Amino acid sequence: MSAIAYDTITRASSNDEESVSSRPTRAEAEEAVRTLIRWAGDNPAREGLLDTPKRVTKAYQEWFAGYDDDPEAILARTFEEVEGYDDIVLMKDIRLESYCEHHMAPIIGKAHIAYLPDNKVVGISKLARLVDAYSKRLQIQEKLTAQIADTLNTVLEPKGVAVMIEAEHQCMSTRGVHKHGVDTITTRFTGAFRDDPKLEERFLRLIKG
């Protein structure tokens, strides 16, 4: 079962995220974990949980590493010697791990990214890094999809961009309605992909092929 959301018109604001003026110290973060453990009904002082606050804060540094990344800087180095190549550049099935901003539950899935170059291309590994830069944050899938597409559009200035994300939200598979195996699909098309239905169809065919 899949839920599908198409967004080809609206633009995500580049200023929709407030910068954090100051982060708590590691000690404060670890104490917050101890509080949650007590709230859950356990004893943070027992042997098996003594090091849990340290492990959790270390895990948070990895899970939310995207806050320390500059997505536009990731795409800054481009190449123009492409021998006139002007067809689709596509990377599909990029592993995506994000976290629901409403419940902080994992969002696990994959992203498909394509762009139609206009004189310059970017190293393909940078597309995967761009996905990580935005996904390793507290997110909603719709915003995540728009951010990836709009950053590609802004930095590379291609003829068009296409992004699709397919993901399962554990905020609804492990709690609440407990619906397993449900993927949410979101898309964003700009430029030629939005204006030419045949190009959009080709993108969809390629990622499913």
Side-chain angles (χ1 to χ4, degrees):
M1 183 185 298
S2 299
I4 304 177
Y6 291 98
D7 180 359
T8 62
I9 299 176
T10 58
R11 294 289 183 268
S13 170
S14 60
N15 299 316
D16 63 349
E17 295 177 359
E18 296 182 0
S19 61
V20 178
S21 59
S22 63
R23 288 182 174 176
T25 64
R26 180 179 291 273
E28 289 173 328
E30 291 178 5
E31 187 56 36
V33 175
R34 293 186 187 95
T35 298
L36 286 173
I37 291 172
R38 287 194 296 270
W39 184 85
D42 214 319
N43 177 13
R46 71 176 176 84
E47 183 180 15
L49 292 174
L50 278 176
D51 291 331
T52 296
K54 291 181 180 178
R55 294 189 185 104
V56 171
T57 52
K58 184 178 180 180
Y60 264 49
Q61 284 185 310
E62 183 175 347
W63 290 337
F64 300 108
Y67 287 114
D68 294 323
D69 288 333
D70 181 345
E72 292 194 6
I74 290 171
L75 303 177
R77 186 181 181 189
T78 59
F79 306 92
E80 297 184 5
E81 294 182 1
V82 292
E83 301 295 334
Y85 184 85
D86 60 357
D87 204 354
I88 293 175
V89 176
L90 183 148
M91 180 176 284
K92 67 177 187 176
D93 296 334
I94 304 169
R95 169 78 173 183
L96 181 145
E97 300 171 3
S98 193
Y99 303 88
C100 166
E101 67 180 35
H102 302 137
H103 301 95
M104 299 181 74
I107 301 171
I108 306 296
K110 53 189 177 181
H112 315 289
I113 299 177
Y115 67 97
L116 200 59
D118 187 11
N119 299 322
K120 59 185 177 182
V121 299
V122 70
I124 56 175
S125 67
K126 301 302 189 292
L127 299 179
R129 287 188 59 199
L130 179 64
V131 171
D132 283 347
Y134 279 123
S135 64
K136 289 186 178 298
R137 306 180 183 197
L138 295 172
Q139 280 285 11
I140 61 171
Q141 187 172 324
E142 295 87 345
K143 181 173 73 172
L144 173 59
T145 306
Q147 288 174 325
I148 293 170
D150 291 350
T151 301
L152 274 171
N153 210 46
T154 297
V155 179
L156 297 187
E157 299 179 321
K159 296 175 183 176
V161 169
V163 174
M164 174 185 283
I165 292 177
E166 307 173 67
E168 180 173 345
H169 293 239
Q170 293 190 20
C171 60
M172 67 172 284
S173 65
T174 62
R175 58 162 300 281
V177 294
H178 288 276
K179 297 300 181 184
H180 301 272
V182 178
D183 286 338
T184 297
I185 300 173
T186 50
T187 64
R188 173 80 128 196
F189 301 103
T190 74
F193 286 97
R194 180 188 60 214
D195 299 335
D196 185 349
K198 290 184 178 179
L199 197 60
E200 178 184 329
E201 291 172 7
R202 186 178 171 208
F203 166 74
L204 297 172
R205 189 167 61 250
L206 284 170
I207 65 174
K208 296 302 182 184

